[in-house]
């Protein structure tokens, strides 16, 4: 049972404050802010308590979204709710920032009232479908939607790499914008996003691999009775099912949004959903341990110790990395960060490097004991190599054991690692002409580690 | 995009003004301006004005002066404006209650509005205005709204009942809202059901004994149906409510599980976790050999794994819960070890939790994999994490015996890296491995010794010194090594100093010839140059031991050490049981019971896992020991036989100088007229009388006659008032316990066994205070001082509430009576028999152990009188299997006398009935840990000289029945 909800800017300004149960005073806001800013790195920030009051918060859009409680509720519920509140705010206001929250405070209060029915902190609903019946205030958009913005819809530009969540840029405008007038387009975006975590052992053995995937819809259609999303027909679910010789697409487990109707899923792999306006995740799935394809990168490292001058024990570490991209030749990878941590650095060091092409860069970050190698574009099937010489005085051969794993982060556009595809996307009844449908695929690296 | 919006505003493209401007101005006379705008005729202007007011309110400005003007805006048909006004009202009604009354009429009118949105809004807002005056007006509209045709209004009204209950509980009961709320559980709209359940659950929490949420198979069925239809948040309410239900049998349990299982694939992780909670609880009832049980176990794993794909915050919460689940049922996730492998980009708090779970899941089957991982972690950058990883390797070695060798070689590899903190941690854990597997891995000592110089942390230094001392005979230059440490003795931390002292003494005992000088040096350093009492004491002990009896010294110092086990970091089973019932809540994140962090009575209810039907495990899981709130952090659980180890931790602190609660001299509370206090009244004779009336041997004979002469009134008289009568009785030569019956003292610890200290004692409960009355007699030739007492964990958490107050030394042949107040908040462990208490008493001579048994009436609390209705319902509710029948013969009491007598021991008679010449008494007893015991007593009337009583006792924890019966017998026969 939520006692209070408040939204703070990163500087601690009060943007929204709502008390549901009259148990606590407004002072708790500053108490919270003091606590959260004083938190040290290794303390879990999720739940904090102060004199019997418990704060649960998430950070989204640079803001603190905080709920406080005096009872023993489920932190899951509250975190989910806060995330949902942030998502809804984004849906309604177009984007998530201090500015948009400030501009739409009345709307957010109203949203809160309806979501929690300001009722004693019981969460009621977070579905836009239901909410739109009650919400009266109109959103004020900080960024008027214009045709220019459509350039962002162009599939994954370089900036999406930074924002981890690819599709959000595509459609940052309020879902309910300008009631009455025909604003925006009747568009619907369907994104298949996969996150890949891989651990490859020092001998090149695949030690662990898993994929977390989700299908997301962002819908701008004012009314849409039913949408049918067809997935690969040969999709199989669960570990136990026998695999045939065909290239079946398999996932271990999936979860669905509760609005999804699954009556055609078992036989035809069709998801039926009446998307409400805004963003929602219709399906989440995961695959553990068995990748259907080889991992996208192979690394052949060698780390050696060499002497510059043996007599004064001036030694250096030679690191030679050969990296091969195992994707089909037509595909390529955007921005690949490769980093090695830790390196046995002492106070004095210097590095020389030999990279295979001029657009790559390499950098030594002594603070993190890290070596960073950046490759802006990496075509499938290609092989790149780099040689680093790091001078480290007084290096013992044992400290080579310390040279840590190589981790990579990257984005593979237009493909999924599981092979999950959307066969078709049908709206019924067919919308009048204007509706546009976008289907996009992307795979991110969540954690891709190669041990040396 | 800043420019874009400006551009847009400049051009007038953005026809609407943005709200943010409201935040900017702080002009003088603002309130005045707003007032004018609020009274404007134009609706738009009014709306803008109210928005400004609310903006000011949000940033904390006081705009309460505008109250009447804002309220005036309320009568409008513009819904947006109305909502804004309501928002304002809620904020200020509390500080302006009289003004709020002004708005009541509009509220009442709005409750009749044709638009359901407005009806709901009105009733909702009225509930939020926490002003007592408004509640009177709220009743009628609320009653209507609870029966409204529109579900949106009904669900809002349902929650409103909970709000009203919070303000004025009596009113809600009087108005019969609770019954209406119960009816709403069968509502056709699932959202209404969910809210009704949520409201009822909350109300029920503040009234633990009311049968508000009277769940039966029919209502459960309704809830399960609603579960499939309502929103995700509603599902959470319903699932949490289901988790409180106790299924009647395993079949019902299975059918509920079957219907809850689909929730596991819900996208909302809160729903998933609530479902997991229900399943974990009800699984307990399923027989393990059932096919379904296996299926369920398999089904639980994937959703738990999926939770780990969420944001770090959710991951952390999930991991804390998984940590509990893994301790309860490791089989669920035993194949999922890889999921808990750490990713390099996990936040540190997630990494540490994962590490912990990895160790819990480690077994012979996967240990190779785990070790390989841990070794990788040990070379990461983050120092904290690396340390934990190295420790984890040690814990693996201790947990999985087969892996010990591999762990040791991994640790040696790590030591080779020479990374300072890795080496230190490795040495600390290797010490533990030596303790666990003595005489097995000593070959590595040489490698350890090479790193002596690099150790700069006290813990690592102490560990290394311990190793050197322990294996001094195998290290050729042990004396040199230790000597090198000795140079900076005074700069070391206490931990290291103590360890060094012990190690050198060990060395001396092993190689006496070469090290005499060294040992003298360290002893003088410790005893003469140190101001640390621990160090000095230890130094003196060794010194005397060595000088008086070197053989004994060898036995003491080189004694065999108790083995360590991997169980040290597990959560206590009783706490774990309770936490399992709170999966998915804050309790599961803190790993503390809710009572430890939720204020007030709410949440203090202890939940427990249902017992498995007809299985050997039931006794364990329905442990009576699930008692009082144990606020202690999860601690080491000794196995039951481990008393010695536990008591060795005896708190050796000297008695503090606080005001003694009970003491043989003049200080005495009114409560204590019976106890030591009497001594002072009776002067020197008290010695022969033995202090405590009940306990005195010379009074014992008189006591036997006492009950017959007992005035009935006295039994009910409060303990304090009884004091006078007591004294009076004493004059007559008969001791009369006012409150409960106190058994005569018995010898608990004979002098033979305790080097001359004889302890006899008994237990008493006086005016709600539990006391242990002890008589200490010194039968030795020397003076005894420094008494201290400690209890082992016991079934009801009895623990001394203060130190043992023996302030003056006990000279030979002296006897002293001490009354030790006890609390029931100590650590809990089920004992065999249930009322067994193991005690350690220490004095300047030694530590002595004895065990005694206390009458269960000791923990019958004073407020144990149950409401009649509650009694009836509870009696029915407890399954008949839990009923136990007893007979008490040879009682010469009629029913009134009996019930009076029993009342003195806090056994309360709730009702009396006479059927066919038999008196039936219905009685209730409440134990300190909240367990209720109900009893039905049948007494043959007519013949007062010879009565046979039949007693049937019912309790949710059937183990206690036997002991309750013994109390009856004891009380009635004495």
């Amino acid at each position: 049972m939520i006692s209070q909800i408040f939204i703070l800017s990163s500087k601690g300004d009060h943007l929204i404050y709502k008390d549901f149960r009259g148990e606590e005073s407004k002072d708790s806001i500053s108490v919270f802010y003091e606590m959260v800013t004083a938190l040290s790195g290794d303390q879990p920030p999720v739940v904090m308590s102060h004199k019997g009051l418990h704060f649960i918060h998430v950070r989204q859009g640079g803001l603190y979204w905080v709920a406080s409680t005096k009872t023993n509720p489920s932190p899951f519920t509250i975190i989910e709710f806060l995330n949902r509140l942030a998502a809804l705010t984004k849906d309604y206001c177009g984007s998530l920032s201090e500015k948009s929250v400030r501009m739409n405070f009345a709307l957010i209060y109203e949203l809160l009232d309806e979501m929690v029915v300001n009722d004693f902190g019981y969460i009621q609903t977070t579905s836009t479908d239901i909410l739109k019946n009650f919400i009266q205030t109109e959103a004020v958009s900080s960024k008027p939607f214009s045709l220019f913005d459509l350039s962002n819809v162009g599939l994954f530009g370089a900036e999406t790499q930074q924002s981890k969540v690819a599709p959000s840029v595509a459609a940052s405008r309020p879902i309910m914008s300008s009631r009455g007038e025909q604003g925006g387009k009747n568009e619907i975006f369907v994104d298949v996003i996969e996150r890949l975590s891989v651990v490859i052992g020092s001998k090149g053995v695949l030690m662990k691999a898993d994929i977390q995937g989700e299908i997301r819809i962002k819908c701008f259609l004012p009314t849409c009775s039913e949408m049918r999303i067809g997935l690969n027909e040969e999709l199989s679910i669960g570990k136990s099912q026998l695999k045939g010789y065909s290239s079946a697409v398999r996932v271990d487990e999936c979860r669905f949004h509760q609005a999804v109707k699954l009556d055609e899923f078992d036989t035809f792999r069709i998801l039926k959903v009446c998307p409400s306006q805004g963003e929602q995740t219709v399906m989440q799935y995961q695959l553990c341990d068995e990748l259907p394809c080889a991992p996208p990168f192979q690394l052949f490292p060698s780390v050696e110790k060499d002497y510059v001058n043996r007599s004064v024990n001036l030694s250096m570490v030679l690191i030679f990395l050969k990296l091969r991209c195992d994707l089909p030749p037509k595909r390529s990878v955007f921005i690949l960060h490769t980093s090695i941590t830790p390196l046995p650095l002492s106070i004095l060091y210097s590095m020389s490097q030999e990279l295979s092409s001029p657009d790559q860069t390499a950098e030594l970050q002594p603070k993190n004991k890290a070596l960073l190698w950046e490759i802006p574009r990496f075509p499938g099937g290609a092989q790149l190599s780099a040689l680093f010489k790091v001078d480290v005085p007084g290096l013992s051969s044992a400290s080579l054991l310390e040279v840590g794993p190589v981790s990579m982060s990257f984005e593979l556009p237009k493909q999924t690692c599981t092979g999950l595809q959307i066969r078709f996307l049908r709206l019924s009844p067919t919308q009048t002409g204007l509706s546009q449908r976008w289907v996009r695929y992307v795979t991110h690296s969540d954690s891709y580690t190669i041990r040396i | 995009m800043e420019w874009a919006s400006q551009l847009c505003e400049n051009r007038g493209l953005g026809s609407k003004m943005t709200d943010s401007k409201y935040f900017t101005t702080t002009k003088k006379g603002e309130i005045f301006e707003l007032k004018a705008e609020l009274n404007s005729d134009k609706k738009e202007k009014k709306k803008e004005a109210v928005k400004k007011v609310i903006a000011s309110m949000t940033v904390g400005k006081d705009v309460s002066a505008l109250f009447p003007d804002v309220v005036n805006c309320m009568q409008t048909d513009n819904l947006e404006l109305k909502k804004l006004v309501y928002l304002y009202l809620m904020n200020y009604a509390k500080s302006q209650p009289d003004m709020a009354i002004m708005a009541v009429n509009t509220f009442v009118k709005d409750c009749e509005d044709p638009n359901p949105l407005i009806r709901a809004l009105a009733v909702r807002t009225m509930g939020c205005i926490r002003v007592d005056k408004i509640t009177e007006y709220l009743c009628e509209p609320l009653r209507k709204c609870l029966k409204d045709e529109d579900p949106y209004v009904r669900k809002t009204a349902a929650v409103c009942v909970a709000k009203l209950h919070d303000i004025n509980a009596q009113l809600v009961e009087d108005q019969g809202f609770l019954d209406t709320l119960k009816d709403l559980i069968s509502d056709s709209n699932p959202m209404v059901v969910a809210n009704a359940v949520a409201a009822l659950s909350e109300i029920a929490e503040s009234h633990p004994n009311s049968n508000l949420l009277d769940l039966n198979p029919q209502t459960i069925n309704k809830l399960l149906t609603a579960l499939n239809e309502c929103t995700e948040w509603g599902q959470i309410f319903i699932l949490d409510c289901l988790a409180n239900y106790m299924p009647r049998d395993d079949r019902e349990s299975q059918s509920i599980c079957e219907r809850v299982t689909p929730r596991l694939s819900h996208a909302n992780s809160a729903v998933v976790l609530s479902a997991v909670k229900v399943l974990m609880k009800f699984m307990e009832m399923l027989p393990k050999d059932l096919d379904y049980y296996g299926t369920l176990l398999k089904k639980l794993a994937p959703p738990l794994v999926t939770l780990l794909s969420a944001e770090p915050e959710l991951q952390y919460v999930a991991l804390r819960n998984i940590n509990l689940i893994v301790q309860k049922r490791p089989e669920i996730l035993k194949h999922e070890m890889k999921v808990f492998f750490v990713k390099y980009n996990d936040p540190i708090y997630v990494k540490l939790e994962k590490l912990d779970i990895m160790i819990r899941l480690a077994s012979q089957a996967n240990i190779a994999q785990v070790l390989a991982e841990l070794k990788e972690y040990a070379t990461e950058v983050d120092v904290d994490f690396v340390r934990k990883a190295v420790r984890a390797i040690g814990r693996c070695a201790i947990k999985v015996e087969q892996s010990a060798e591999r762990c040791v070689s991994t640790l040696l590899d790590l030591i080779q890296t020479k990374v300072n903190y890795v080496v230190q941690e490795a040495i600390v854990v290797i010490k533990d491995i030596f303790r666990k597997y003595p005489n097995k891995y000593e070959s590595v000592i040489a490698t350890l010794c090479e790193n002596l110089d690099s150790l700069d942390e006290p813990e690592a230094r102490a560990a290394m010194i311990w190793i050197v001392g322990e294996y001094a005979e195998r290290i050729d230059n042990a004396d040199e090594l230790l000597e090198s440490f000795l140079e900076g003795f005074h700069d070391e931390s206490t931990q290291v100093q103590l360890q060094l002292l012990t190690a050198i003494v060990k060395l001396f005992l092993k190689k006496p010839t070469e090290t005499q000088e060294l040992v003298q040096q360290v002893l003088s350093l410790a005893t003469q140059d140190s101001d640390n009492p621990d160090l000095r004491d230890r130094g003196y002990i060794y010194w005397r031991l060595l000088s008086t009896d070197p053989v004994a010294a060898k036995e003491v110092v080189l004694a065999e050490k108790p083995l360590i086990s991997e169980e040290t970091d597990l959560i206590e089973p009783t706490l774990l049981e309770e936490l399992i019932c709170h999966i998915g809540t804050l309790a599961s994140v803190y790993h503390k019971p809710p009572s430890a962090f939720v204020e007030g009575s709410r949440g203090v209810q202890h939940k427990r896992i249902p017992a498995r039907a007809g299985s050997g495990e039931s006794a364990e899981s329905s442990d009576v020991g699930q008692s009082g709130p144990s606020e202690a952090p999860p601690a080491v659980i000794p196995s039951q036989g481990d008393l010695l180890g536990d008591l060795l931790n005896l708190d050796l602190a000297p008695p503090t100088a606080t005001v003694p609660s009970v003491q043989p001299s003049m200080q005495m509370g009114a409560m204590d007229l019976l106890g030591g206090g009497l001594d002072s009244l009776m002067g020197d004779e008290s010695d022969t009388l033995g202090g405590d009336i009940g306990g005195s041997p010379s009074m014992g004979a008189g006591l036997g006659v006492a009950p017959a002469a007992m005035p009935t009134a006295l039994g009910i008289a409060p303990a304090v008032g009884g004091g006078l009568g007591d004294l009076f009785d004493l004059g007559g030569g008969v001791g009369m316990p006012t409150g409960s019956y106190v058994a005569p003292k018995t010898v608990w610890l004979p002098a033979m066994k305790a080097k001359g200290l004889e302890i006899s004692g008994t237990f008493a409960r006086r005016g709600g205070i539990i006391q242990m009355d002890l008589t200490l007699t010194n039968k030795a030739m020397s003076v005894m001082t420094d008494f201290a007492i400690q209890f082992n964990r016991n079934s009801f958490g009895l623990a001394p509430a203060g130190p043992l107050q023996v302030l003056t030394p006990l000279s030979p042949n002296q006897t002293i009576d001490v009354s030790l107040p006890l609390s029931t908040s100590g650590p809990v462990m089920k004992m065999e028999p249930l009322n067994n208490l193991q005690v350690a008493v220490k004095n300047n001579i030694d530590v002595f152990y004895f065990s005694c048994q206390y009458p269960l009436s000791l923990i019958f609390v004073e407020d144990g009188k149950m409401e009649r209705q509650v009694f009836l319902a509870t009696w029915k509710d407890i399954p008949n299997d839990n009923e136990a029948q007893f007979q008490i013969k040879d009682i010469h009491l009629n029913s009134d006398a009996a019930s009076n007598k029993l009342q003195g021991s806090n056994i309360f008679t709730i009702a009396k009935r006479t059927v066919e010449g038999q008196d039936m008494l219905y009685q209730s007893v409440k134990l300190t840990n909240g367990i209720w015991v109900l009893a039905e007593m049948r007494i043959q009337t007519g013949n007062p000289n010879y009565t046979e009583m039949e007693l049937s006792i019912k309790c949710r924890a059937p183990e206690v029945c036997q002991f309750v019966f013994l109390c009856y017998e004891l009380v009635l026969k004495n």
Side-chain angles (χ1 to χ4, degrees), chain A residues 21 80 103 114 119 122 195 446, chain B residues 19 152 163 202 269 309 343 345:
Chain A
R21 299 173 69 99
E80 281 272 356
M103 285 196 300
E114 293 301 339
D119 261 356
Y122 296 125
R195 287 183 296 154
D446 183 21
Chain B
D19 287 355
Y152 181 75
K163 291 193 235 178
E202 184 172 345
S269 37
S309 64
K343 293 179 191 168
N345 50 351

mmCIF file of all heavy atoms in Angstrom, chain A residues 21 80 103 114 119 122 195 446, chain B residues 19 152 163 202 269 309 343 345:
data_model
loop_
_atom_site.group_PDB
_atom_site.id
_atom_site.type_symbol
_atom_site.label_atom_id
_atom_site.label_comp_id
_atom_site.label_asym_id
_atom_site.label_seq_id
_atom_site.Cartn_x
_atom_site.Cartn_y
_atom_site.Cartn_z
ATOM 1 N N ARG A 21 -2.270 8.458 1.941
ATOM 2 C CA ARG A 21 -2.833 7.931 3.174
ATOM 3 C C ARG A 21 -2.692 8.869 4.355
ATOM 4 O O ARG A 21 -3.103 8.548 5.456
ATOM 5 C CB ARG A 21 -2.164 6.602 3.521
ATOM 6 C CG ARG A 21 -2.378 5.566 2.458
ATOM 7 C CD ARG A 21 -1.571 4.329 2.743
ATOM 8 N NE ARG A 21 -2.066 3.629 3.899
ATOM 9 C CZ ARG A 21 -2.856 2.583 3.864
ATOM 10 N NH1 ARG A 21 -3.257 2.127 2.713
ATOM 11 N NH2 ARG A 21 -3.256 1.996 4.959
ATOM 12 N N GLU A 80 7.341 -2.123 -10.457
ATOM 13 C CA GLU A 80 6.618 -2.263 -11.729
ATOM 14 C C GLU A 80 5.723 -1.060 -11.950
ATOM 15 O O GLU A 80 5.614 -0.529 -13.044
ATOM 16 C CB GLU A 80 5.747 -3.539 -11.716
ATOM 17 C CG GLU A 80 6.506 -4.822 -11.979
ATOM 18 C CD GLU A 80 6.596 -5.143 -13.465
ATOM 19 O OE1 GLU A 80 5.992 -4.399 -14.262
ATOM 20 O OE2 GLU A 80 7.262 -6.125 -13.820
ATOM 21 N N MET A 103 5.664 20.582 -17.285
ATOM 22 C CA MET A 103 4.633 21.179 -18.123
ATOM 23 C C MET A 103 3.301 20.466 -17.977
ATOM 24 O O MET A 103 2.256 21.037 -18.231
ATOM 25 C CB MET A 103 5.087 21.159 -19.584
ATOM 26 C CG MET A 103 6.136 22.212 -19.858
ATOM 27 S SD MET A 103 6.335 22.514 -21.594
ATOM 28 C CE MET A 103 6.821 20.939 -22.168
ATOM 29 N N GLU A 114 -6.120 8.417 -11.183
ATOM 30 C CA GLU A 114 -6.868 7.321 -11.786
ATOM 31 C C GLU A 114 -6.135 5.992 -11.635
ATOM 32 O O GLU A 114 -6.754 4.952 -11.499
ATOM 33 C CB GLU A 114 -7.148 7.604 -13.264
ATOM 34 C CG GLU A 114 -8.100 8.754 -13.499
ATOM 35 C CD GLU A 114 -9.470 8.534 -12.855
ATOM 36 O OE1 GLU A 114 -9.826 7.376 -12.574
ATOM 37 O OE2 GLU A 114 -10.165 9.540 -12.611
ATOM 38 N N ASP A 119 -6.581 6.200 -3.983
ATOM 39 C CA ASP A 119 -7.357 5.461 -3.041
ATOM 40 C C ASP A 119 -6.462 4.725 -2.122
ATOM 41 O O ASP A 119 -6.207 3.552 -2.309
ATOM 42 C CB ASP A 119 -8.242 4.481 -3.804
ATOM 43 C CG ASP A 119 -9.589 5.063 -3.912
ATOM 44 O OD1 ASP A 119 -9.794 6.139 -3.349
ATOM 45 O OD2 ASP A 119 -10.442 4.449 -4.543
ATOM 46 N N TYR A 122 -3.931 1.937 -3.218
ATOM 47 C CA TYR A 122 -4.127 0.690 -3.965
ATOM 48 C C TYR A 122 -4.007 0.980 -5.442
ATOM 49 O O TYR A 122 -4.710 1.827 -5.965
ATOM 50 C CB TYR A 122 -5.519 0.108 -3.720
ATOM 51 C CG TYR A 122 -5.780 -0.302 -2.318
ATOM 52 C CD1 TYR A 122 -6.867 0.195 -1.623
ATOM 53 C CD2 TYR A 122 -4.961 -1.218 -1.694
ATOM 54 C CE1 TYR A 122 -7.120 -0.184 -0.325
ATOM 55 C CE2 TYR A 122 -5.205 -1.607 -0.402
ATOM 56 C CZ TYR A 122 -6.288 -1.083 0.282
ATOM 57 O OH TYR A 122 -6.529 -1.478 1.552
ATOM 58 N N ARG A 195 18.321 -9.184 -26.434
ATOM 59 C CA ARG A 195 19.548 -8.859 -25.720
ATOM 60 C C ARG A 195 20.335 -10.148 -25.541
ATOM 61 O O ARG A 195 19.801 -11.149 -25.085
ATOM 62 C CB ARG A 195 19.229 -8.234 -24.367
ATOM 63 C CG ARG A 195 18.710 -6.816 -24.499
ATOM 64 C CD ARG A 195 18.474 -6.205 -23.152
ATOM 65 N NE ARG A 195 17.431 -6.940 -22.449
ATOM 66 C CZ ARG A 195 17.341 -6.990 -21.129
ATOM 67 N NH1 ARG A 195 18.232 -6.392 -20.384
ATOM 68 N NH2 ARG A 195 16.367 -7.659 -20.557
ATOM 69 N N ASP A 446 24.035 -7.606 -24.289
ATOM 70 C CA ASP A 446 23.768 -7.261 -22.908
ATOM 71 C C ASP A 446 25.079 -7.378 -22.141
ATOM 72 O O ASP A 446 25.497 -6.478 -21.432
ATOM 73 C CB ASP A 446 22.718 -8.222 -22.351
ATOM 74 C CG ASP A 446 22.343 -7.875 -20.939
ATOM 75 O OD1 ASP A 446 22.574 -6.722 -20.547
ATOM 76 O OD2 ASP A 446 21.833 -8.755 -20.231
ATOM 77 N N ASP B 19 1.916 24.303 -18.988
ATOM 78 C CA ASP B 19 1.696 24.404 -17.548
ATOM 79 C C ASP B 19 2.909 24.942 -16.805
ATOM 80 O O ASP B 19 2.797 25.421 -15.695
ATOM 81 C CB ASP B 19 1.378 23.016 -16.969
ATOM 82 C CG ASP B 19 -0.022 22.595 -17.356
ATOM 83 O OD1 ASP B 19 -0.716 23.436 -17.964
ATOM 84 O OD2 ASP B 19 -0.406 21.467 -17.044
ATOM 85 N N TYR B 152 -17.403 0.912 -11.689
ATOM 86 C CA TYR B 152 -16.352 1.881 -11.381
ATOM 87 C C TYR B 152 -16.628 2.560 -10.046
ATOM 88 O O TYR B 152 -15.725 2.782 -9.241
ATOM 89 C CB TYR B 152 -16.271 2.912 -12.509
ATOM 90 C CG TYR B 152 -15.199 3.953 -12.326
ATOM 91 C CD1 TYR B 152 -13.875 3.640 -12.524
ATOM 92 C CD2 TYR B 152 -15.524 5.257 -11.958
ATOM 93 C CE1 TYR B 152 -12.885 4.582 -12.355
ATOM 94 C CE2 TYR B 152 -14.548 6.215 -11.790
ATOM 95 C CZ TYR B 152 -13.224 5.883 -11.990
ATOM 96 O OH TYR B 152 -12.251 6.824 -11.820
ATOM 97 N N LYS B 163 -10.638 3.192 3.828
ATOM 98 C CA LYS B 163 -10.193 4.514 4.274
ATOM 99 C C LYS B 163 -10.960 4.942 5.506
ATOM 100 O O LYS B 163 -10.377 5.438 6.482
ATOM 101 C CB LYS B 163 -10.455 5.547 3.174
ATOM 102 C CG LYS B 163 -9.597 5.399 1.978
ATOM 103 C CD LYS B 163 -9.727 6.635 1.119
ATOM 104 C CE LYS B 163 -10.136 6.291 -0.276
ATOM 105 N NZ LYS B 163 -10.322 7.445 -1.133
ATOM 106 N N GLU B 202 -6.729 -5.427 4.281
ATOM 107 C CA GLU B 202 -6.084 -4.421 5.107
ATOM 108 C C GLU B 202 -6.808 -4.266 6.437
ATOM 109 O O GLU B 202 -6.184 -4.155 7.492
ATOM 110 C CB GLU B 202 -6.034 -3.085 4.389
ATOM 111 C CG GLU B 202 -5.258 -2.111 5.254
ATOM 112 C CD GLU B 202 -4.965 -0.798 4.587
ATOM 113 O OE1 GLU B 202 -5.098 -0.712 3.360
ATOM 114 O OE2 GLU B 202 -4.601 0.139 5.315
ATOM 115 N N SER B 269 6.070 -8.803 -13.279
ATOM 116 C CA SER B 269 6.826 -9.673 -12.374
ATOM 117 C C SER B 269 6.224 -9.707 -10.973
ATOM 118 O O SER B 269 6.421 -10.663 -10.235
ATOM 119 C CB SER B 269 8.287 -9.255 -12.309
ATOM 120 O OG SER B 269 8.406 -7.870 -12.358
ATOM 121 N N SER B 309 15.946 -11.143 -15.912
ATOM 122 C CA SER B 309 16.236 -10.407 -17.139
ATOM 123 C C SER B 309 15.749 -8.970 -17.034
ATOM 124 O O SER B 309 15.898 -8.200 -17.960
ATOM 125 C CB SER B 309 15.581 -11.099 -18.332
ATOM 126 O OG SER B 309 14.187 -11.068 -18.172
ATOM 127 N N LYS B 343 27.419 -11.111 -14.582
ATOM 128 C CA LYS B 343 27.783 -10.426 -15.813
ATOM 129 C C LYS B 343 28.682 -9.270 -15.462
ATOM 130 O O LYS B 343 28.542 -8.667 -14.410
ATOM 131 C CB LYS B 343 26.538 -9.882 -16.496
ATOM 132 C CG LYS B 343 25.608 -10.945 -17.002
ATOM 133 C CD LYS B 343 24.410 -10.265 -17.642
ATOM 134 C CE LYS B 343 23.321 -11.266 -17.935
ATOM 135 N NZ LYS B 343 22.076 -10.595 -18.288
ATOM 136 N N ASN B 345 28.719 -6.349 -16.398
ATOM 137 C CA ASN B 345 28.091 -5.040 -16.231
ATOM 138 C C ASN B 345 26.979 -5.022 -15.185
ATOM 139 O O ASN B 345 26.212 -4.071 -15.107
ATOM 140 C CB ASN B 345 27.570 -4.538 -17.573
ATOM 141 C CG ASN B 345 26.721 -5.575 -18.281
ATOM 142 O OD1 ASN B 345 26.664 -6.725 -17.848
ATOM 143 N ND2 ASN B 345 26.059 -5.199 -19.339
#
